[in-house]
Amino acid sequence: MYRTHTCGELREQHADMDVTLSGWLSNIRDKGAILFFTLRDHYGVTQAVVTDEAIKEKIRDIPRESTIQLKGKVVLRSDVNPDMPTGKIEIIPEEIVILGKRTEPLPFETDASTETREDLRLKYRYLDLRNPRVHANIILRSKIIHAIREKMTDMGFMEIQTPILTSTSPEGARDYIVPSRVHPGKFYALPQAPQQFKQLLMLSGFDKYFQIAPCFRDEDARADRTPGEFYQLDVEMAFAEQDDVFSAIETLIYDIFRMFSTCEVSPPPFPRLKYRDAMRQYGSDKPDLRVPLTLTNVTEIFAASEFKPFIGQNIQAIRVKNAAAAPRKLFDRLTKEIVDEGAKGLVWLKVTDEAALNGSAAKFFSPEETSALIKGCDAEKGDALFIIADEHDKALKYAGILRNKLGREFNLIEPDVFRFCWIVDFPMYECNEDTGEIEFSHNPFSMPQGGLDALLNKDPLTIEAFQYDIVCNGTELSSGAVRNHSPEIMLEAFRIAGYTREAVENKFPALFNAFKFGAPPHAGIAPGIDRIVMLLANEPSVREVIAFPMDKNARDLLMSAPGNVTRKQLDEAHIEIKDLE
């Protein structure tokens, strides 16, 4: 038997008991006459105190992070450590057995590895996961997923698994494709999401489905998105409208965030913001509602301006109260940072009285423009104004980025809260900036508001869809939609986006044909598991809450993937590698 108790289990009531523990030799404090060391396992840490010379010598010869077995007696500690659950006891060892000796130098200290270079941490992820903080994140993730499964089951949802090897589908990102050995020249695709399968489940007569689903997308990394694969809580409901989805998800999200955090959580129903209103007020479709700043459109004020950067531009202003006293270097740094993001520039101004401004462009404004700007922004003496001018969508985008920066710089972000909101009424289509062609802006399987009549008679760029996102503290947790369940509407929706009937039938044969056999109205959503855990763990990146993540360049440094394969493997898959030089 390797252990009678775990390293986090022993308490005062175990005093005088003979015990056996196993774990990793952690910290050693050698005082000469007395030696202390700690033993760590998944459950916690226990201290041992050694006065026996033979055991002291043995411990001194064992490298830290080796696994050992300790047999000894539990005694009460004279110097209680209130920060350790086992801090009222310690073990006097009678026997030490080496189970797994460390034979290589540690590439980093396992109790401080989050300060180590990320590439090194990921290469030795099994060591990084010994770090108490990282280890706790994975435990938290497990508990959250378990709680989600219980909540979903309690609400009447059934968990069903869907295929991993499937067909390629245009769902917004590049597919990972898998060659078929049995069918030369043909490929499977890893699912970007179980989108078509979960809709087919509704058509099959199941009423409420969920799945903790792996999704695969060949896209670039961000702090809230890992390349390669991620997990989402995939949800679909038959005979459901938008409000039915909102009610179920609000109940789940509120309960989960209350369960795993002491922060204040937005109570249901969560606020709803139309997409266009969110962009107008916050410059983002994932606004951080903890930041008490909004955008003011001042384009009309400068309609006759001769100030070159403003001519013909969309002009957005943000007022920050009592910010005029900030040092000049802060204004200069913000200017550099927003230009580095891609903006053309930043105009900053200090309000010196009711009708006067001082700052980077104040001298270019007429008295009438100055007065109108101050009034339009509800500014007062001591406030600062920050102005972005650019093409319409770009001005909103960069003003939204600036809004978040200003919230951080001036310490305006509401602390210790989770502020949720729904973004609704997304445009069904958008115009591709590069090609000028109309394409889907969100989920191609969504129901357009107004149905077939809207598709036939309205400008496509004015059509809104029953699409929605749920946002928390500036992070998009999930997207969802009321689904189109009509073959006629599906064909017309895809025709507007440039797909022929033949293309629709070839790309989505199962879904298109299934709609002909009595499809129920249905709707769904898919909150991101990684992002939920990231927020609840208060981590800056999803990579901190995934056991074995890829790096920013989509490499698995631990397993050396992607890697080379043999000529035989290529031949079996009927693949020829082109000369890459």
Short mmCIF file of all heavy atoms in Angstrom, two decimals, residues 420-479:
data_model
loop_
_atom_site.label_atom_id
_atom_site.label_comp_id
_atom_site.label_asym_id
_atom_site.label_seq_id
_atom_site.Cartn_x
_atom_site.Cartn_y
_atom_site.Cartn_z
N PHE A 420 -22.89 40.77 -17.16
CA PHE A 420 -23.34 40.05 -18.35
C PHE A 420 -24.30 40.90 -19.18
O PHE A 420 -25.01 41.76 -18.65
CB PHE A 420 -24.06 38.76 -17.96
CG PHE A 420 -23.15 37.68 -17.42
CD1 PHE A 420 -22.90 37.57 -16.07
CD2 PHE A 420 -22.54 36.79 -18.30
CE1 PHE A 420 -22.06 36.59 -15.57
CE2 PHE A 420 -21.70 35.80 -17.81
CZ PHE A 420 -21.46 35.70 -16.44
N CYS A 421 -24.31 40.64 -20.47
CA CYS A 421 -25.34 41.22 -21.34
C CYS A 421 -25.49 40.34 -22.58
O CYS A 421 -24.61 39.56 -22.92
CB CYS A 421 -24.99 42.65 -21.75
SG CYS A 421 -23.55 42.81 -22.83
N TRP A 422 -26.63 40.48 -23.21
CA TRP A 422 -26.89 39.85 -24.51
C TRP A 422 -26.71 40.89 -25.60
O TRP A 422 -27.19 42.03 -25.47
CB TRP A 422 -28.31 39.31 -24.58
CG TRP A 422 -28.61 38.14 -23.70
CD1 TRP A 422 -29.25 38.17 -22.50
CD2 TRP A 422 -28.29 36.77 -23.95
NE1 TRP A 422 -29.36 36.90 -21.98
CE2 TRP A 422 -28.78 36.02 -22.85
CE3 TRP A 422 -27.66 36.10 -24.99
CZ2 TRP A 422 -28.64 34.64 -22.77
CZ3 TRP A 422 -27.52 34.73 -24.92
CH2 TRP A 422 -28.00 34.01 -23.82
N ILE A 423 -26.06 40.52 -26.68
CA ILE A 423 -26.05 41.33 -27.89
C ILE A 423 -26.98 40.65 -28.88
O ILE A 423 -26.80 39.45 -29.18
CB ILE A 423 -24.63 41.46 -28.48
CG1 ILE A 423 -23.65 41.94 -27.42
CG2 ILE A 423 -24.64 42.40 -29.68
CD1 ILE A 423 -23.94 43.31 -26.84
N VAL A 424 -27.98 41.37 -29.35
CA VAL A 424 -29.02 40.77 -30.19
C VAL A 424 -29.14 41.52 -31.51
O VAL A 424 -28.54 42.58 -31.71
CB VAL A 424 -30.38 40.76 -29.46
CG1 VAL A 424 -30.30 39.95 -28.17
CG2 VAL A 424 -30.84 42.20 -29.15
N ASP A 425 -29.92 40.94 -32.42
CA ASP A 425 -30.25 41.57 -33.71
C ASP A 425 -29.00 41.87 -34.53
O ASP A 425 -28.81 42.98 -35.04
CB ASP A 425 -31.05 42.86 -33.49
CG ASP A 425 -32.38 42.61 -32.78
OD1 ASP A 425 -32.81 41.45 -32.74
OD2 ASP A 425 -32.97 43.58 -32.26
N PHE A 426 -28.16 40.87 -34.70
CA PHE A 426 -26.99 41.01 -35.56
C PHE A 426 -27.41 41.13 -37.02
O PHE A 426 -28.42 40.56 -37.43
CB PHE A 426 -26.07 39.80 -35.42
CG PHE A 426 -25.16 39.84 -34.22
CD1 PHE A 426 -25.61 39.43 -32.98
CD2 PHE A 426 -23.85 40.28 -34.35
CE1 PHE A 426 -24.77 39.46 -31.88
CE2 PHE A 426 -23.00 40.33 -33.25
CZ PHE A 426 -23.46 39.91 -32.01
N PRO A 427 -26.63 41.85 -37.84
CA PRO A 427 -26.91 41.85 -39.27
C PRO A 427 -26.77 40.44 -39.83
O PRO A 427 -25.86 39.70 -39.45
CB PRO A 427 -25.82 42.77 -39.84
CG PRO A 427 -25.32 43.57 -38.68
CD PRO A 427 -25.48 42.70 -37.47
N MET A 428 -27.66 40.07 -40.72
CA MET A 428 -27.60 38.75 -41.35
C MET A 428 -26.40 38.68 -42.29
O MET A 428 -25.73 37.64 -42.39
CB MET A 428 -28.89 38.49 -42.14
CG MET A 428 -28.97 37.12 -42.76
SD MET A 428 -29.47 35.86 -41.58
CE MET A 428 -29.54 34.40 -42.63
N TYR A 429 -26.09 39.80 -42.96
CA TYR A 429 -25.02 39.83 -43.95
C TYR A 429 -24.09 41.02 -43.71
O TYR A 429 -24.45 41.98 -43.02
CB TYR A 429 -25.59 39.94 -45.37
CG TYR A 429 -26.53 38.82 -45.75
CD1 TYR A 429 -27.91 38.99 -45.68
CD2 TYR A 429 -26.03 37.60 -46.18
CE1 TYR A 429 -28.77 37.97 -46.03
CE2 TYR A 429 -26.89 36.56 -46.54
CZ TYR A 429 -28.26 36.75 -46.46
OH TYR A 429 -29.10 35.73 -46.81
N GLU A 430 -22.92 40.94 -44.29
CA GLU A 430 -21.99 42.05 -44.31
C GLU A 430 -21.28 42.06 -45.65
O GLU A 430 -21.32 41.07 -46.40
CB GLU A 430 -20.96 41.92 -43.17
CG GLU A 430 -20.07 40.70 -43.26
CD GLU A 430 -19.18 40.53 -42.04
OE1 GLU A 430 -19.33 41.29 -41.08
OE2 GLU A 430 -18.33 39.61 -42.07
N CYS A 431 -20.62 43.18 -45.94
CA CYS A 431 -19.91 43.31 -47.20
C CYS A 431 -18.42 43.06 -46.96
O CYS A 431 -17.82 43.70 -46.10
CB CYS A 431 -20.12 44.70 -47.78
SG CYS A 431 -19.41 44.92 -49.42
N ASN A 432 -17.85 42.14 -47.70
CA ASN A 432 -16.43 41.84 -47.58
C ASN A 432 -15.62 43.04 -48.07
O ASN A 432 -15.78 43.50 -49.21
CB ASN A 432 -16.08 40.60 -48.40
CG ASN A 432 -14.65 40.15 -48.20
OD1 ASN A 432 -13.71 40.86 -48.52
ND2 ASN A 432 -14.49 38.94 -47.69
N GLU A 433 -14.75 43.57 -47.18
CA GLU A 433 -13.98 44.77 -47.52
C GLU A 433 -13.06 44.54 -48.72
O GLU A 433 -12.81 45.47 -49.49
CB GLU A 433 -13.15 45.21 -46.31
CG GLU A 433 -13.97 45.76 -45.16
CD GLU A 433 -13.09 46.26 -44.03
OE1 GLU A 433 -11.85 46.21 -44.17
OE2 GLU A 433 -13.64 46.69 -43.00
N ASP A 434 -12.55 43.36 -48.86
CA ASP A 434 -11.58 43.08 -49.94
C ASP A 434 -12.25 42.80 -51.28
O ASP A 434 -11.78 43.27 -52.33
CB ASP A 434 -10.69 41.89 -49.55
CG ASP A 434 -9.87 42.17 -48.30
OD1 ASP A 434 -9.43 43.33 -48.13
OD2 ASP A 434 -9.66 41.23 -47.51
N THR A 435 -13.34 42.04 -51.25
CA THR A 435 -13.97 41.62 -52.51
C THR A 435 -15.21 42.43 -52.86
O THR A 435 -15.64 42.44 -54.02
CB THR A 435 -14.36 40.14 -52.44
OG1 THR A 435 -15.40 39.97 -51.43
CG2 THR A 435 -13.17 39.27 -52.08
N GLY A 436 -15.81 43.10 -51.86
CA GLY A 436 -17.04 43.83 -52.09
C GLY A 436 -18.26 42.94 -52.18
O GLY A 436 -19.38 43.41 -52.45
N GLU A 437 -18.09 41.64 -51.95
CA GLU A 437 -19.20 40.71 -52.05
C GLU A 437 -19.94 40.57 -50.72
O GLU A 437 -19.37 40.75 -49.65
CB GLU A 437 -18.68 39.34 -52.50
CG GLU A 437 -18.06 39.35 -53.89
CD GLU A 437 -17.53 37.98 -54.30
OE1 GLU A 437 -17.49 37.09 -53.42
OE2 GLU A 437 -17.16 37.82 -55.47
N ILE A 438 -21.21 40.22 -50.81
CA ILE A 438 -22.03 40.02 -49.61
C ILE A 438 -21.77 38.62 -49.07
O ILE A 438 -21.73 37.64 -49.83
CB ILE A 438 -23.52 40.21 -49.96
CG1 ILE A 438 -23.79 41.68 -50.26
CG2 ILE A 438 -24.40 39.73 -48.80
CD1 ILE A 438 -25.21 41.96 -50.70
N GLU A 439 -21.58 38.53 -47.77
CA GLU A 439 -21.34 37.24 -47.12
C GLU A 439 -22.04 37.22 -45.77
O GLU A 439 -22.45 38.27 -45.25
CB GLU A 439 -19.84 36.98 -46.96
CG GLU A 439 -19.10 38.03 -46.17
CD GLU A 439 -17.58 37.87 -46.23
OE1 GLU A 439 -17.09 37.21 -47.17
OE2 GLU A 439 -16.91 38.39 -45.32
N PHE A 440 -22.18 36.03 -45.20
CA PHE A 440 -22.80 35.92 -43.88
C PHE A 440 -21.93 36.62 -42.84
O PHE A 440 -20.71 36.49 -42.85
CB PHE A 440 -22.98 34.44 -43.50
CG PHE A 440 -24.01 33.72 -44.31
CD1 PHE A 440 -23.64 32.73 -45.22
CD2 PHE A 440 -25.36 34.02 -44.17
CE1 PHE A 440 -24.59 32.06 -45.97
CE2 PHE A 440 -26.32 33.35 -44.91
CZ PHE A 440 -25.93 32.36 -45.82
N SER A 441 -22.57 37.33 -41.94
CA SER A 441 -21.80 38.04 -40.90
C SER A 441 -21.67 37.22 -39.63
O SER A 441 -20.85 37.51 -38.78
CB SER A 441 -22.46 39.38 -40.56
OG SER A 441 -23.71 39.17 -39.94
N HIS A 442 -22.48 36.18 -39.49
CA HIS A 442 -22.53 35.44 -38.22
C HIS A 442 -22.68 33.97 -38.55
O HIS A 442 -21.81 33.39 -39.19
CB HIS A 442 -23.71 35.98 -37.39
CG HIS A 442 -23.54 35.87 -35.90
ND1 HIS A 442 -23.97 34.79 -35.19
CD2 HIS A 442 -23.01 36.73 -34.99
CE1 HIS A 442 -23.72 34.98 -33.90
NE2 HIS A 442 -23.14 36.15 -33.74
N ASN A 443 -23.78 33.38 -38.18
CA ASN A 443 -24.02 31.95 -38.41
C ASN A 443 -24.89 31.77 -39.65
O ASN A 443 -26.01 32.30 -39.71
CB ASN A 443 -24.71 31.35 -37.18
CG ASN A 443 -24.83 29.84 -37.25
OD1 ASN A 443 -25.20 29.29 -38.28
ND2 ASN A 443 -24.54 29.17 -36.16
N PRO A 444 -24.44 31.03 -40.66
CA PRO A 444 -25.21 30.91 -41.90
C PRO A 444 -26.51 30.14 -41.75
O PRO A 444 -27.36 30.18 -42.64
CB PRO A 444 -24.25 30.17 -42.84
CG PRO A 444 -23.33 29.42 -41.95
CD PRO A 444 -23.15 30.29 -40.74
N PHE A 445 -26.67 29.43 -40.62
CA PHE A 445 -27.88 28.62 -40.42
C PHE A 445 -28.94 29.36 -39.61
O PHE A 445 -29.89 28.76 -39.11
CB PHE A 445 -27.52 27.30 -39.73
CG PHE A 445 -26.50 26.49 -40.49
CD1 PHE A 445 -25.18 26.44 -40.07
CD2 PHE A 445 -26.85 25.81 -41.64
CE1 PHE A 445 -24.24 25.71 -40.78
CE2 PHE A 445 -25.93 25.07 -42.35
CZ PHE A 445 -24.61 25.03 -41.92
N SER A 446 -28.79 30.68 -39.47
CA SER A 446 -29.72 31.47 -38.66
C SER A 446 -30.98 31.84 -39.43
O SER A 446 -30.98 31.93 -40.66
CB SER A 446 -29.03 32.75 -38.19
OG SER A 446 -27.86 32.45 -37.49
N MET A 447 -32.02 32.11 -38.66
CA MET A 447 -33.29 32.53 -39.25
C MET A 447 -33.28 34.06 -39.42
O MET A 447 -33.06 34.78 -38.45
CB MET A 447 -34.46 32.13 -38.36
CG MET A 447 -35.82 32.58 -38.88
SD MET A 447 -36.33 31.74 -40.41
CE MET A 447 -36.92 30.18 -39.73
N PRO A 448 -33.49 34.55 -40.64
CA PRO A 448 -33.57 36.00 -40.82
C PRO A 448 -34.86 36.54 -40.21
O PRO A 448 -35.91 35.90 -40.28
CB PRO A 448 -33.57 36.16 -42.34
CG PRO A 448 -34.11 34.87 -42.86
CD PRO A 448 -33.66 33.81 -41.90
N GLN A 449 -34.77 37.70 -39.60
CA GLN A 449 -35.98 38.33 -39.08
C GLN A 449 -36.83 38.81 -40.26
O GLN A 449 -36.34 39.50 -41.13
CB GLN A 449 -35.61 39.50 -38.17
CG GLN A 449 -34.85 39.07 -36.93
CD GLN A 449 -34.59 40.22 -35.97
OE1 GLN A 449 -35.25 41.25 -36.03
NE2 GLN A 449 -33.61 40.03 -35.08
N GLY A 450 -38.06 38.37 -40.27
CA GLY A 450 -38.93 38.65 -41.41
C GLY A 450 -39.02 37.49 -42.37
O GLY A 450 -39.78 37.54 -43.36
N GLY A 451 -38.21 36.44 -42.13
CA GLY A 451 -38.30 35.22 -42.91
C GLY A 451 -38.01 35.43 -44.39
O GLY A 451 -37.20 36.27 -44.79
N LEU A 452 -38.68 34.65 -45.22
CA LEU A 452 -38.44 34.67 -46.66
C LEU A 452 -38.78 36.03 -47.27
O LEU A 452 -38.09 36.50 -48.19
CB LEU A 452 -39.27 33.57 -47.34
CG LEU A 452 -39.05 33.39 -48.84
CD1 LEU A 452 -37.60 33.02 -49.15
CD2 LEU A 452 -40.01 32.33 -49.39
N ASP A 453 -39.80 36.69 -46.75
CA ASP A 453 -40.20 38.00 -47.28
C ASP A 453 -39.05 39.00 -47.17
O ASP A 453 -38.81 39.78 -48.10
CB ASP A 453 -41.43 38.51 -46.53
CG ASP A 453 -41.89 39.85 -47.07
OD1 ASP A 453 -42.36 39.91 -48.22
OD2 ASP A 453 -41.75 40.86 -46.34
N ALA A 454 -38.33 38.99 -46.05
CA ALA A 454 -37.20 39.91 -45.88
C ALA A 454 -36.10 39.60 -46.88
O ALA A 454 -35.49 40.51 -47.46
CB ALA A 454 -36.67 39.82 -44.45
N LEU A 455 -35.84 38.32 -47.09
CA LEU A 455 -34.78 37.93 -48.02
C LEU A 455 -35.11 38.35 -49.45
O LEU A 455 -34.22 38.73 -50.23
CB LEU A 455 -34.55 36.42 -47.97
CG LEU A 455 -34.03 35.85 -46.65
CD1 LEU A 455 -33.95 34.32 -46.73
CD2 LEU A 455 -32.67 36.43 -46.28
N LEU A 456 -36.40 38.29 -49.81
CA LEU A 456 -36.81 38.59 -51.17
C LEU A 456 -36.94 40.09 -51.44
O LEU A 456 -36.73 40.55 -52.58
CB LEU A 456 -38.13 37.90 -51.49
CG LEU A 456 -38.11 36.37 -51.55
CD1 LEU A 456 -39.51 35.82 -51.70
CD2 LEU A 456 -37.21 35.89 -52.68
N ASN A 457 -37.27 40.86 -50.40
CA ASN A 457 -37.68 42.24 -50.65
C ASN A 457 -36.85 43.31 -49.98
O ASN A 457 -37.08 44.50 -50.23
CB ASN A 457 -39.15 42.41 -50.22
CG ASN A 457 -40.08 41.51 -51.01
OD1 ASN A 457 -40.07 41.54 -52.24
ND2 ASN A 457 -40.88 40.72 -50.31
N LYS A 458 -35.90 42.94 -49.14
CA LYS A 458 -35.11 43.96 -48.44
C LYS A 458 -33.67 43.96 -48.94
O LYS A 458 -33.16 42.96 -49.46
CB LYS A 458 -35.13 43.71 -46.92
CG LYS A 458 -36.50 43.88 -46.28
CD LYS A 458 -36.44 43.70 -44.77
CE LYS A 458 -35.71 44.83 -44.08
NZ LYS A 458 -35.78 44.74 -42.61
N ASP A 459 -33.01 45.11 -48.76
CA ASP A 459 -31.57 45.20 -48.99
C ASP A 459 -30.90 44.22 -48.04
O ASP A 459 -31.11 44.32 -46.82
CB ASP A 459 -31.11 46.63 -48.72
CG ASP A 459 -29.60 46.81 -48.88
OD1 ASP A 459 -28.87 45.80 -48.98
OD2 ASP A 459 -29.14 47.97 -48.85
N PRO A 460 -30.10 43.28 -48.54
CA PRO A 460 -29.49 42.27 -47.65
C PRO A 460 -28.72 42.87 -46.46
O PRO A 460 -28.72 42.30 -45.37
CB PRO A 460 -28.56 41.49 -48.58
CG PRO A 460 -29.17 41.64 -49.93
CD PRO A 460 -29.77 43.01 -49.95
N LEU A 461 -28.10 44.03 -46.68
CA LEU A 461 -27.30 44.62 -45.60
C LEU A 461 -28.15 45.27 -44.52
O LEU A 461 -27.63 45.70 -43.49
CB LEU A 461 -26.32 45.64 -46.19
CG LEU A 461 -25.27 45.07 -47.15
CD1 LEU A 461 -24.36 46.16 -47.68
CD2 LEU A 461 -24.44 43.98 -46.47
N THR A 462 -29.46 45.33 -44.73
CA THR A 462 -30.36 45.85 -43.69
C THR A 462 -31.10 44.74 -42.95
O THR A 462 -31.80 45.02 -41.98
CB THR A 462 -31.40 46.80 -44.31
OG1 THR A 462 -32.30 46.06 -45.16
CG2 THR A 462 -30.72 47.90 -45.11
N ILE A 463 -30.94 43.50 -43.40
CA ILE A 463 -31.66 42.38 -42.77
C ILE A 463 -30.99 42.00 -41.46
O ILE A 463 -29.77 41.81 -41.40
CB ILE A 463 -31.71 41.16 -43.72
CG1 ILE A 463 -32.45 41.51 -45.00
CG2 ILE A 463 -32.36 39.97 -43.03
CD1 ILE A 463 -32.39 40.41 -46.06
N GLU A 464 -31.78 41.91 -40.42
CA GLU A 464 -31.27 41.42 -39.14
C GLU A 464 -31.67 39.96 -38.96
O GLU A 464 -32.65 39.49 -39.54
CB GLU A 464 -31.81 42.28 -37.99
CG GLU A 464 -31.29 43.70 -38.01
CD GLU A 464 -31.85 44.55 -36.89
OE1 GLU A 464 -32.91 44.18 -36.32
OE2 GLU A 464 -31.26 45.60 -36.58
N ALA A 465 -30.87 39.26 -38.16
CA ALA A 465 -31.13 37.84 -37.92
C ALA A 465 -31.44 37.60 -36.46
O ALA A 465 -31.13 38.43 -35.59
CB ALA A 465 -29.92 37.01 -38.34
N PHE A 466 -32.07 36.47 -36.19
CA PHE A 466 -32.28 36.06 -34.80
C PHE A 466 -30.97 35.41 -34.30
O PHE A 466 -30.89 34.20 -34.11
CB PHE A 466 -33.45 35.09 -34.69
CG PHE A 466 -34.78 35.76 -34.88
CD1 PHE A 466 -35.54 35.52 -36.01
CD2 PHE A 466 -35.28 36.62 -33.91
CE1 PHE A 466 -36.77 36.13 -36.19
CE2 PHE A 466 -36.51 37.24 -34.07
CZ PHE A 466 -37.26 37.00 -35.22
N GLN A 467 -29.96 36.25 -34.15
CA GLN A 467 -28.64 35.83 -33.69
C GLN A 467 -28.30 36.61 -32.43
O GLN A 467 -28.69 37.77 -32.29
CB GLN A 467 -27.59 36.11 -34.77
CG GLN A 467 -27.83 35.35 -36.06
CD GLN A 467 -26.93 35.84 -37.19
OE1 GLN A 467 -26.46 36.96 -37.19
NE2 GLN A 467 -26.71 34.99 -38.18
N TYR A 468 -27.54 35.97 -31.56
CA TYR A 468 -27.26 36.61 -30.27
C TYR A 468 -25.95 36.09 -29.71
O TYR A 468 -25.52 34.97 -29.97
CB TYR A 468 -28.40 36.33 -29.29
CG TYR A 468 -28.99 34.94 -29.41
CD1 TYR A 468 -28.41 33.82 -28.83
CD2 TYR A 468 -30.16 34.74 -30.15
CE1 TYR A 468 -28.95 32.56 -28.95
CE2 TYR A 468 -30.72 33.47 -30.29
CZ TYR A 468 -30.12 32.39 -29.68
OH TYR A 468 -30.65 31.13 -29.81
N ASP A 469 -25.30 36.97 -28.97
CA ASP A 469 -24.09 36.63 -28.22
C ASP A 469 -24.33 36.93 -26.75
O ASP A 469 -25.07 37.87 -26.42
CB ASP A 469 -22.88 37.47 -28.68
CG ASP A 469 -22.33 37.05 -30.03
OD1 ASP A 469 -22.83 36.06 -30.59
OD2 ASP A 469 -21.41 37.72 -30.51
N ILE A 470 -23.68 36.17 -25.89
CA ILE A 470 -23.67 36.53 -24.47
C ILE A 470 -22.26 36.98 -24.13
O ILE A 470 -21.27 36.34 -24.50
CB ILE A 470 -24.15 35.37 -23.56
CG1 ILE A 470 -24.30 35.86 -22.13
CG2 ILE A 470 -23.25 34.16 -23.65
CD1 ILE A 470 -25.03 34.89 -21.22
N VAL A 471 -22.17 38.13 -23.46
CA VAL A 471 -20.89 38.78 -23.19
C VAL A 471 -20.73 38.97 -21.69
O VAL A 471 -21.69 39.30 -20.98
CB VAL A 471 -20.82 40.15 -23.90
CG1 VAL A 471 -19.54 40.90 -23.55
CG2 VAL A 471 -20.93 39.96 -25.40
N CYS A 472 -19.50 38.76 -21.20
CA CYS A 472 -19.20 38.97 -19.79
C CYS A 472 -17.89 39.75 -19.67
O CYS A 472 -16.85 39.29 -20.13
CB CYS A 472 -19.08 37.64 -19.04
SG CYS A 472 -18.62 37.83 -17.30
N ASN A 473 -17.95 40.92 -19.07
CA ASN A 473 -16.75 41.73 -18.81
C ASN A 473 -15.88 41.92 -20.04
O ASN A 473 -14.65 41.88 -19.98
CB ASN A 473 -15.92 41.11 -17.68
CG ASN A 473 -16.62 41.16 -16.34
OD1 ASN A 473 -17.74 41.66 -16.24
ND2 ASN A 473 -15.98 40.66 -15.30
N GLY A 474 -16.52 42.10 -21.19
CA GLY A 474 -15.77 42.35 -22.41
C GLY A 474 -15.32 41.11 -23.14
O GLY A 474 -14.65 41.21 -24.16
N THR A 475 -15.70 39.94 -22.65
CA THR A 475 -15.35 38.67 -23.31
C THR A 475 -16.62 38.04 -23.86
O THR A 475 -17.61 37.88 -23.14
CB THR A 475 -14.69 37.70 -22.31
OG1 THR A 475 -13.44 38.24 -21.89
CG2 THR A 475 -14.45 36.35 -22.95
N GLU A 476 -16.58 37.69 -25.15
CA GLU A 476 -17.71 36.98 -25.74
C GLU A 476 -17.66 35.54 -25.26
O GLU A 476 -16.73 34.80 -25.57
CB GLU A 476 -17.62 37.03 -27.27
CG GLU A 476 -18.72 36.25 -27.96
CD GLU A 476 -18.40 35.95 -29.41
OE1 GLU A 476 -17.86 36.84 -30.10
OE2 GLU A 476 -18.67 34.81 -29.85
N LEU A 477 -18.69 35.13 -24.52
CA LEU A 477 -18.74 33.76 -24.01
C LEU A 477 -19.33 32.79 -25.02
O LEU A 477 -18.98 31.62 -25.02
CB LEU A 477 -19.55 33.69 -22.71
CG LEU A 477 -18.88 34.21 -21.44
CD1 LEU A 477 -19.75 33.87 -20.25
CD2 LEU A 477 -17.49 33.65 -21.28
N SER A 478 -20.24 33.28 -25.84
CA SER A 478 -20.86 32.35 -26.78
C SER A 478 -21.68 33.09 -27.81
O SER A 478 -22.07 34.25 -27.62
CB SER A 478 -21.76 31.36 -26.05
OG SER A 478 -22.87 32.03 -25.50
N SER A 479 -21.93 32.38 -28.90
CA SER A 479 -22.85 32.84 -29.93
C SER A 479 -23.98 31.82 -30.07
O SER A 479 -23.80 30.65 -29.76
CB SER A 479 -22.12 32.97 -31.28
OG SER A 479 -21.13 33.95 -31.21
#
